[in-house]
Structures are given as C-alpha cells and as structure tokens.
Amino acid sequence: MAEENQEIIDKYTKVCICKAINKSTMKKIIKDGADTLEKVQKATSAGSGSCGGRRCTPRILELLEECKQD
Ligand code: FES
C-alpha cells in the first residue's frame, strides 16, 4: 500500500520542471540502466530545458544515489 502511494506521489513530483519529467519516469529510466547523470539526461532530455539543468541536475544526482541504495 505504501509503495502504491509512493508511486502516485512520484507521478506528481516533477524532477525536471522545464521538460516536465516526473520522478516516476526518472526512476524507471535509472532502473532500466541509466546509471549516470549523462545517461539519464540523454534518455529523458532532462537538462536541456531553459534553465540548462540548473534546477534538475541536483535532483537527478540525488535520485541516482537513492536508486543505488535500493
Ligand atoms: S529543470 Fe530540467 S532543464 Fe530546467
């Protein structure tokens, strides 16, 4: 149940605001093998928005760390 709730929250949590990429998409991409910032950015286009990745890069790095611990 808690996991389902987390999934719903993740769908509504934007990681890259410029490109409208949510946390659940990011997690899936990381689990599918994008294990570096560059790979995640390439797979999602996160970081190529108007802020140039200023807002989402720290969040992607955090997520990569979180997913490594799982
Ligand atoms: S928030 Fe990701 S490029 Fe701006």
Side-chain angles (χ1 to χ4, degrees):
M1 185 65 183
E3 207 165 290
E4 281 168 26
N5 285 345
Q6 190 58 51
E7 259 177 58
I8 294 166
I9 294 166
D10 285 352
K11 274 192 185 141
Y12 287 97
T13 308
K14 293 272 179 283
V15 175
C16 179
I17 300 153
C18 301
K19 294 287 171 179
I21 302 158
N22 65 43
K23 201 168 173 180
S24 115
T25 305
M26 286 287 183
K27 278 185 174 173
K28 194 181 173 305
I29 280 160
I30 293 170
K31 289 209 168 97
D32 287 349
D35 54 1
T36 64
L37 174 65
E38 291 72 23
K39 285 184 198 172
V40 172
Q41 287 177 328
K42 209 169 171 199
T44 60
S45 79
S48 62
S50 57
C51 81
R54 226 172 356 101
R55 287 180 292 186
C56 57
T57 300
R59 293 186 212 203
I60 297 170
L61 291 172
E62 259 171 42
L63 263 184
L64 280 165
E65 275 305 310
E66 261 175 48
C67 291
K68 262 186 219 162
Q69 285 157 22
D70 286 348

